[in-house]
Amino acid sequence: MNQHYDIIIIGTGAGGGTIARALSETSARILILERGDFVPRENENWDPEAVWRQLRYRTKERWRDRHGREFTPYTHYGVGGNTKFWGSVLYRLRREDFRAIQQVDGLSPAWPIDYETLEPYYERAERLYQVRGEAGIDPTEPPRGAYPYGAVPHAPEMAVLVGKLRAQGLHPSPLPLGLLRVGEDDGCILCNTCNSFVCKLHAKSEADVCCVRPAIARPNVTLWTNTIANRLVTDPSGRRVTAVEVERNGESLQVAAPIVVVACGAVNSAALLLRSANDKHRAGLANSSGLVGRRYMAHLATMMQGFHPLRKNSTVFQKTVGINDFYLRGPRTEYPLGQIQSQGRTHGVMAQTVVPWIPLWAYEAWVSRGVDWLVMSEDLPVSENRVTIDPDGGIRLHYRPNNLKAHRRLVAETKRILRRLGFWIVVKHSHGSTNTTHQCGTLCFGTDPRASVLDPYCRAHDVENLFVVDASFFPSSAAVNPGLTIAAQALRVADHIRDTEL
Ligand SMILES: Cc1cc2nc3c(=O)[nH]c(=O)nc-3n(C[C@H](O)[C@H](O)[C@H](O)COP(=O)(O)OP(=O)(O)OC[C@H]3O[C@@H](n4cnc5c(N)ncnc54)[C@H](O)[C@@H]3O)c2cc1C
Ligand code: SF4
């Protein structure tokens, strides 16, 4: 057993990568465990065929849904986790998201911290991930200073649409985007293979490039790739984790440190705790509340495309527009509906994965005349939506989407908006309950140990040296992209560990 580390961090995504970067600046000896490897820089990074048909970078793991049917989750294991593939839309939650909000299907619960508590960490996270945006335009924007970098300008055709959206009385605003060195020699070239692709230029703000590589450049940080954490072992009292059982390149071993930070993503972190059940934690580690794995959320997301058969869309980088007019209250309803974003260009291959028998050339002709949008609504934490472990050790995801009425209203409203913009046809598609990209909520944080798994600093109520800093701490999913909030809280937890444990 290796005893020479002060901190073990498991996972290198938005949570694990960010906390590794922050703690690397202390003198603590840190071991990072990552089940995957570095994603190679290769032509396939930007090849829709490799990414969307061959699923080259997607996990080969199979999970089961609530009916026991197997599916391939939309998730990636490797250095940087899912941030390598994200669209880099890096929003702060709205101030209201931290409070209880009445949604169509029930109450979205309050967070144990308010926006003001996280605000300085949002600012640090935006600097770390070099976020570009423009303050003062989005009507739902929480109080904030200027962005570290100016917004990415809308492409000419998108700028025309923005003008027309304003003429409809809406308040489109620039999406906050984490893109590195835009327009510089070695920087982002604003291409059309960003969201769901790896950046071949390493010009996307993601955890591998912004956090893990700078962290492991320091002498106090060690990274073990191809190392999966299978189980956390506790002392006889059950109050402290004493070792992490890992499998490294086919070999089983244990590693130990006084502080263990789990950041495997919301589903895998819950699975790790459930698999770590022992005499003192019969229902899973840190599970005295019975909430480990429960309250899983994933957002309700629908892709929409507006088409004009006579108008080719020449935009390359399209993902610059956010519409938050219905975030807190919809038209013709007092309830929040969610968010609308312009989305990266759909490629023919991507579209063909939906209906494979339509020939590729037909799809290419179709998507070349389309403008793509993402419509996203909050789903609510309910106990029945949960992660469990099957007898064979596999992951089962019980998820029945809720708050669908709000989402359907937002989809219908978006369709009206797009028709008013002059699109002849509007189509939509959703990956439904197998879309695990925005997974969160399985180990929620709170002040009451009977009603939460983690405390407000993401320390397990039941296990004093165990922290969890990935998306699992979310008590509600809000309706903006989760990544910046995960990173901000990871920075806050890093400060707390530095001040109280080191
Ligand atoms: C295509 C796509 C687009 C997205 N776009 C956006 C966006 O524009 N904006 C945004 O905010 N969010 C976006 N997201 C979501 C965002 O990527 C996630 O919310 C975020 O990465 C979650 O961070 P995390 O730390 O919880 O988990 P992850 O980033 O998933 O990291 C978990 C890490 O743990 C590792 N791991 C898992 N289990 C183990 C184990 N047992 N042992 C060792 N290592 C383990 C994994 O390999 C991985 O590195 C997108 C996601 C996808 C897939
Ligand atoms: S060059 Fe820019 S737009 Fe293209 S993948 Fe990289 S970060 Fe994304």
Side-chain angles (χ1 to χ4, degrees):
M1 186 187 295
N2 192 329
Q3 295 284 8
H4 303 295
Y5 298 103
D6 300 309
I7 303 173
I8 291 174
I9 297 169
I10 311 171
T12 58
T18 305
I19 200 165
R21 171 75 198 265
L23 290 171
S24 73
E25 286 155 22
T26 69
S27 57
R29 291 157 301 176
I30 299 169
L31 174 64
I32 308 172
L33 308 174
E34 168 52 55
R35 70 186 288 170
D37 211 331
F38 285 98
V39 181
R41 289 171 86 166
E42 54 186 8
N43 289 339
E44 286 85 349
N45 291 166
W46 281 347
D47 178 1
E49 185 74 28
V51 172
W52 276 91
R53 208 191 308 276
Q54 294 156 13
L55 304 182
R56 183 177 179 83
Y57 305 108
R58 206 81 65 90
T59 178
K60 306 286 178 282
E61 201 172 62
R62 304 277 284 167
W63 295 352
R64 293 189 188 95
D65 67 12
R66 67 192 169 97
H67 304 292
R69 286 183 301 238
E70 287 196 357
F71 68 99
T72 304
Y74 191 170
T75 197
H76 308 83
Y77 299 143
V79 178
N82 281 298
T83 72
K84 284 295 284 187
F85 302 85
W86 68 10
S88 228
V89 175
L90 296 179
Y91 264 105
R92 299 179 180 201
L93 259 58
R94 315 289 90 177
R95 196 185 211 172
E96 293 79 358
D97 288 321
F98 291 82
R99 305 173 187 151
I101 304 179
Q102 188 62 45
Q103 298 274 345
V104 174
D105 268 9
L107 199 68
S108 164
W111 288 39
I113 57 173
D114 57 11
Y115 170 75
E116 281 65 26
T117 305
L118 208 53
E119 201 281 334
Y121 298 98
Y122 272 132
E123 199 185 316
R124 273 174 57 188
E126 284 176 348
R127 267 186 276 126
L128 182 59
Y129 285 93
Q130 302 196 18
V131 180
R132 295 161 185 274
E134 188 175 345
I137 301 182
D138 180 345
T140 64
E141 184 176 79
R144 57 160 303 133
Y147 280 89
Y149 295 86
V152 176
H154 303 301
E157 286 179 36
M158 293 309 282
V160 171
L161 291 184
V162 165
K164 289 183 176 173
L165 288 166
R166 289 213 179 95
Q168 290 187 28
L170 298 167
H171 301 83
S173 50
L175 283 178
L177 290 167
L179 303 172
L180 304 174
R181 305 177 300 279
V182 178
E184 293 176 29
D185 277 353
D186 62 344
C188 167
I189 56 169
L190 297 175
C191 70
N192 68 353
T193 45
C194 195
N195 186 31
S196 78
F197 295 84
V198 172
C199 180
K200 196 174 148 191
L201 303 178
H202 279 193
K204 186 178 346 187
S205 302
E206 36 89 345
D208 170 24
V209 168
C210 296
C211 300
V212 178
R213 286 171 200 254
I216 60 175
R218 301 177 79 102
N220 54 326
V221 182
T222 305
L223 168 67
W224 287 0
T225 54
N226 299 307
T227 305
I228 183 164
N230 285 326
R231 206 179 140 76
L232 306 179
V233 181
T234 67
D235 65 8
S237 75
R239 291 293 302 165
R240 291 185 70 81
V241 174
T242 49
V244 184
E245 284 182 6
V246 305
E247 198 175 310
R248 189 178 188 213
N249 300 320
E251 190 195 345
S252 297
L253 63 154
Q254 289 197 344
V255 287
I259 296 167
V260 175
V261 180
V262 171
C264 301
V267 171
N268 276 294
S269 286
L272 179 61
L273 266 54
L274 291 171
R275 290 183 181 125
S276 302
N278 63 24
D279 276 1
K280 286 285 184 298
H281 298 268
R282 291 189 181 279
L285 192 59
N287 198 13
S288 64
S289 62
L291 287 174
V292 169
R294 293 189 186 268
R295 301 162 67 97
Y296 170 85
M297 295 166 281
H299 280 154
L300 305 166
T302 299
M303 306 291 305
M304 299 187 73
Q305 277 182 316
F307 288 96
H308 194 297
L310 309 178
R311 223 189 277 154
K312 272 215 164 191
N313 177 5
S314 66
T315 301
V316 178
F317 190 84
Q318 188 176 252
K319 192 168 44 105
T320 55
V321 185
I323 305 170
N324 279 326
D325 291 82
F326 313 120
Y327 195 87
L328 299 173
R329 191 190 164 97
R332 296 172 289 280
T333 170
E334 62 189 286
Y335 295 111
L337 298 188
Q339 201 204 19
I340 307 165
Q341 300 176 1
S342 63
Q343 186 60 296
R345 294 292 303 270
T346 298
H347 299 260
V349 174
M350 289 158 76
Q352 206 187 29
T353 59
V354 180
V355 188
W357 55 266
I358 297 178
L360 191 58
W361 63 263
Y363 271 120
E364 295 292 6
W366 182 254
V367 298
S368 68
R369 289 163 175 79
V371 179
D372 311 79
W373 304 83
L374 169 67
V375 177
M376 196 156 65
S377 309
E378 178 162 351
D379 54 344
L380 296 167
V382 295
S383 196
E384 301 74 36
N385 285 343
R386 62 187 293 212
V387 177
T388 57
I389 304 297
D390 277 344
D392 65 359
I395 288 174
R396 186 177 291 224
L397 195 53
H398 309 251
Y399 180 62
R400 193 198 289 260
N402 56 42
N403 215 22
L404 284 164
K405 207 189 255 179
H407 189 59
R408 287 189 190 121
R409 278 195 178 154
L410 187 58
V411 168
E413 191 57 37
T414 307
K415 187 171 179 184
R416 274 192 284 275
I417 291 169
L418 296 182
R419 294 299 295 267
R420 285 198 291 262
L421 286 178
F423 294 109
W424 287 19
I425 303 165
V426 176
V427 297
K428 61 182 165 79
H429 173 69
S430 170
H431 291 286
S433 57
T434 59
N435 184 2
T436 54
T437 56
H438 287 189
Q439 56 181 272
C440 66
T442 53
L443 304 167
C444 69
F445 76 159
T447 50
D448 180 357
R450 287 163 306 175
S452 55
V453 179
L454 308 171
D455 78 5
Y457 284 106
C458 285
R459 185 198 297 263
H461 288 298
D462 303 343
V463 183
E464 60 198 33
N465 65 339
L466 174 64
F467 293 82
V468 185
V469 296
D470 53 35
S472 49
F473 75 86
F474 280 40
S476 68
S477 66
V480 290
N481 317 60
L484 192 76
T485 302
I486 302 168
Q489 174 69 353
L491 293 174
R492 180 168 173 266
V493 175
D495 274 8
H496 182 70
I497 290 177
R498 186 200 59 206
D499 295 345
T500 61
E501 303 287 328
L502 299 179

